[in-house]
């Protein structure tokens, strides 16, 4: 039986150095390998050209690099690029590059599937299969950064955790992945340009504050009234608006970071003046801004997107009352790359078939 190789990127720098020393080699070799893995994003031991053949062979025998592969990359009419990401165990997630002038935003996944079953979300219809590891999160960013360079000759400027999964239910790995993306030993990107989006796990929002994170936080709010929010986001039953609101106040007190509220406007559900008033009250809890998101139908006919005239009125009401609010039009619709579309069933099946 072949022994399971260790995912080399699960080791810390110290552990890597210790492994080399235990193998009768120099500690600095561990440092070199660490640089290949996290700074130069190496996906094979052969690439590590400053190591001799024996060392590379030893690595190859004992360790694996669980490299994420790009499958079925598609470019939308509006320049948005989406791809499936195949993980080492053949599971799939997806990521997107959203170009807007000089701004290049990567949208990445944190879990395979999702456990939260938000009614309007395509990923919510899948089971949560597993968490992504820090290296799988890092790899998605590296791939998307390469697309920005290849297609638009621009560096990646922003990262949002708005792909598949609930990042705060994969807390440790998401933070470790971000650490590799931001540290000078890794990609050296600014944490200020990263936004983690959550459906609202109060306890973990407080933990972010305690851990004094430097990245931004977005809450997928979608209704500022518990009855309505319970109807579309079951997580609200155990993490209601009061609990989430308090957690956000705690977060702001510690980090001084303004929170973003995402609010999908659904027709005949949450786009009326009463809803805007409730949202305004919620916004007063903590310095914040609102992104009003156009709903992308997921094919089950349960929800419809609100009329533009209603959305505009909704937005104007908020602005008139001192809230920073913007309407976000959907991008990449023709390739199912728009928000909430990443687990589009038909597409997922096609990806799986292609792989067989
Ligand atoms: N679990 C996290 C991150 C993934 S969802 C969260 O809930 O925030 C990323 C964003 O896409 C969330 O704001 C989510 O509410 C939104 N979204 C999901 N389905 C959508 C759809 N069909 N149309 C528009 N936005 C959608």
């Amino acid at each position: 039986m072949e022994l399971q190789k260790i995912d080399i990127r699960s080791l810390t720098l110290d552990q890597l150095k210790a492994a080399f020393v235990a193998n009768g080699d120099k500690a600095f070799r561990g440092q070199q390998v660490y640089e290949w893995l996290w700074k130069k994003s190496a996906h094979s031991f052969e690439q590590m050209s400053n190591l001799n053949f024996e060392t590379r062979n030893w690595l190859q025998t004992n360790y694996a690099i669980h490299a994420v592969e790009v499958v079925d990359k598609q470019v939308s009419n509006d320049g948005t690029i989406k791809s499936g990401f195949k993980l080492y165990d053949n599971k799939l997630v997806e990521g997107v590059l959203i170009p807007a002038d000089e701004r290049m935003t990567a949208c990445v996944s944190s879990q395979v599937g999702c456990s939260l079953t938000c009614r309007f979300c395509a990923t919510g219809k899948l089971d949560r299969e597993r968490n992504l590891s820090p290296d799988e999160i890092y790899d998605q960013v590296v791939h998307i950064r390469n697309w920005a360079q290849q297609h638009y000759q621009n560096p990646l400027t922003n990262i949002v955790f708005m792909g598949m999964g609930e990042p705060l239910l994969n807390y440790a790995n998401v933070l470790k992945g971000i650490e590799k993306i931001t540290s000078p030993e890794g990609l050296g990107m600014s944490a200020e340009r990263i936004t983690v989006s959550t459906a609202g796990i109060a306890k973990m929002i407080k933990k972010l504050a305690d851990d004094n994170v430097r990245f931004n936080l977005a809450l997928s709010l979608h209704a500022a009234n518990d009855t309505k929010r319970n109807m579309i986001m079951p997580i609200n039953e155990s993490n209601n608006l009061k609990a989430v609101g308090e957690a956000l106040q705690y977060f702001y007190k510690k980090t001084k970071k303004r929170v973003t509220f995402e609010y999908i406007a659904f027709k005949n559900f949450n786009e009326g003046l009463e809803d805007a008033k409730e949202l305004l009250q919620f916004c007063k809890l903590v310095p914040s801004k609102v992104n009003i998101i156009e709903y992308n139908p997921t094919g089950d006919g349960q929800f419809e997107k609100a009329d533009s005239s209603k959305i505009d009125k909704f937005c104007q009401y908020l602005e008139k009352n001192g809230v920073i609010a913007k309407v976000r039009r959907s991008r990449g619709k023709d390739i199912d790359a728009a928000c909430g579309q990443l687990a589009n069933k038909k597409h997922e099946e096609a990806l799986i078939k292609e792989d067989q």
Side-chain angles (χ1 to χ4, degrees):
M1 197 182 87
E2 201 192 327
L3 276 180
Q4 185 91 38
K5 293 181 187 178
I6 300 167
D7 171 9
I8 194 162
R9 291 188 293 181
S10 69
L11 303 183
T12 62
L13 175 57
D14 284 343
Q15 288 170 329
L16 206 47
K17 284 182 181 169
F20 270 88
V21 172
N23 190 44
D25 211 327
K26 303 261 189 333
F28 85 91
R29 292 272 173 229
Q31 172 89 41
Q32 287 177 317
V33 170
Y34 195 81
E35 257 173 49
W36 277 108
L37 295 173
W38 296 114
K39 213 175 180 70
K40 304 180 198 160
S41 315
H43 273 180
S44 76
F45 295 116
E46 287 101 81
Q47 270 171 278
M48 303 182 179
S49 50
N50 53 0
L51 303 180
N52 65 28
F53 178 76
E54 281 76 40
T55 307
R56 279 185 275 153
N57 224 4
W58 171 73
L59 287 170
Q60 188 71 50
T61 312
N62 295 286
Y63 298 97
I65 301 176
H66 288 167
V68 168
E69 281 173 47
V70 172
V71 285
D72 186 32
K73 183 159 142 246
Q74 290 173 277
V75 183
S76 155
N77 295 333
D78 68 14
T80 301
I81 301 176
K82 177 184 83 161
S83 164
F85 287 127
K86 193 164 89 173
L87 312 178
Y88 77 98
D89 55 1
N90 286 328
K91 295 194 186 303
L92 284 169
V93 292
E94 290 184 332
V96 185
L97 170 68
I98 307 150
D101 302 323
E102 301 286 275
R103 184 192 268 243
M104 295 278 138
T105 304
C107 174
V108 297
S109 297
S110 56
Q111 296 181 313
V112 182
C114 188
S115 58
L116 297 185
T117 65
C118 296
R119 304 285 181 242
F120 48 82
C121 177
T123 309
K125 297 188 173 68
L126 306 175
D127 289 334
R128 189 209 75 113
E129 292 188 49
R130 73 166 171 86
N131 285 335
L132 296 196
S133 62
D135 36 300
E136 289 168 336
I137 291 168
Y138 165 95
D139 273 0
Q140 294 176 74
V141 171
V142 170
H143 281 306
I144 299 174
R145 186 181 67 157
N146 291 343
W147 305 344
Q149 220 28 277
Q150 287 157 7
H151 288 256
Y152 303 107
Q153 293 75 51
N154 274 327
L156 190 64
T157 58
N158 297 69
I159 301 168
V160 295
F161 282 77
M162 294 187 188
M164 293 172 158
E166 169 50 47
L168 297 193
L169 292 180
N170 183 15
Y171 189 93
N173 289 355
V174 166
L175 261 67
K176 277 188 204 152
I178 292 177
E179 207 272 316
K180 295 294 190 257
I181 293 161
T182 53
S183 80
E185 288 79 39
L187 302 180
M189 291 184 68
S190 161
E192 310 285 330
R193 300 302 194 100
I194 299 176
T195 300
V196 168
S197 178
T198 179
I201 318 290
K203 198 169 120 193
M204 301 323 265
I205 294 173
K206 286 189 175 165
K207 183 155 169 55
L208 287 176
D210 289 336
D211 288 341
N212 207 13
V213 298
R214 301 312 307 148
F215 52 78
N216 301 294
L217 181 65
L219 172 73
S220 296
L221 186 58
H222 311 322
N225 152 328
D226 278 319
T227 311
K228 283 195 182 180
R229 200 162 188 265
N230 283 342
M231 286 167 75
I232 54 173
M233 300 178 75
I235 186 66
N236 195 69
E237 285 161 21
S238 50
N239 289 257
N240 65 15
L241 290 167
K242 185 163 179 285
V244 173
E246 277 170 13
L248 291 176
Q249 286 175 324
Y250 185 84
F251 176 83
Y252 182 79
K253 217 163 97 194
K254 291 230 167 174
T255 64
K256 292 283 167 291
K257 284 191 156 292
R258 190 172 66 180
V259 178
T260 302
F261 295 133
E262 291 155 88
Y263 193 96
I264 306 175
F266 298 105
K267 188 173 193 162
N268 298 331
F269 181 69
N270 65 351
E271 86 300 36
L273 203 58
E274 271 310 304
D275 303 292
K277 279 185 191 161
E278 285 169 350
L279 178 54
L280 175 64
Q281 289 312 312
F282 196 80
C283 287
K284 286 182 181 160
L285 288 177
V286 62
S288 52
K289 63 178 174 140
V290 175
N291 282 338
I292 301 166
I293 305 170
E294 204 178 48
Y295 171 61
N296 286 297
T298 55
D300 60 9
Q302 280 200 53
F303 297 92
E304 271 181 76
K305 73 177 198 165
D307 295 336
S308 322
S309 60
K310 280 245 176 166
I311 295 181
D312 290 344
K313 272 197 204 126
F314 191 95
C315 190
Q316 281 157 15
Y317 174 84
L318 293 174
E319 283 188 314
K320 211 172 60 206
N321 286 284
V323 175
I324 308 163
K326 278 207 177 70
V327 180
R328 301 267 175 211
R329 305 268 171 230
S330 217
R331 302 280 308 270
K333 279 188 200 165
D334 55 323
I335 56 165
D336 281 341
C339 6
Q341 289 286 12
L342 293 186
N344 183 290
K345 260 275 153 75
K346 258 191 262 141
H347 182 68
E348 208 73 291
E349 278 159 17
L351 276 180
I352 291 161
K353 275 204 198 99
E354 255 177 39
D355 275 345
Q356 285 167 348

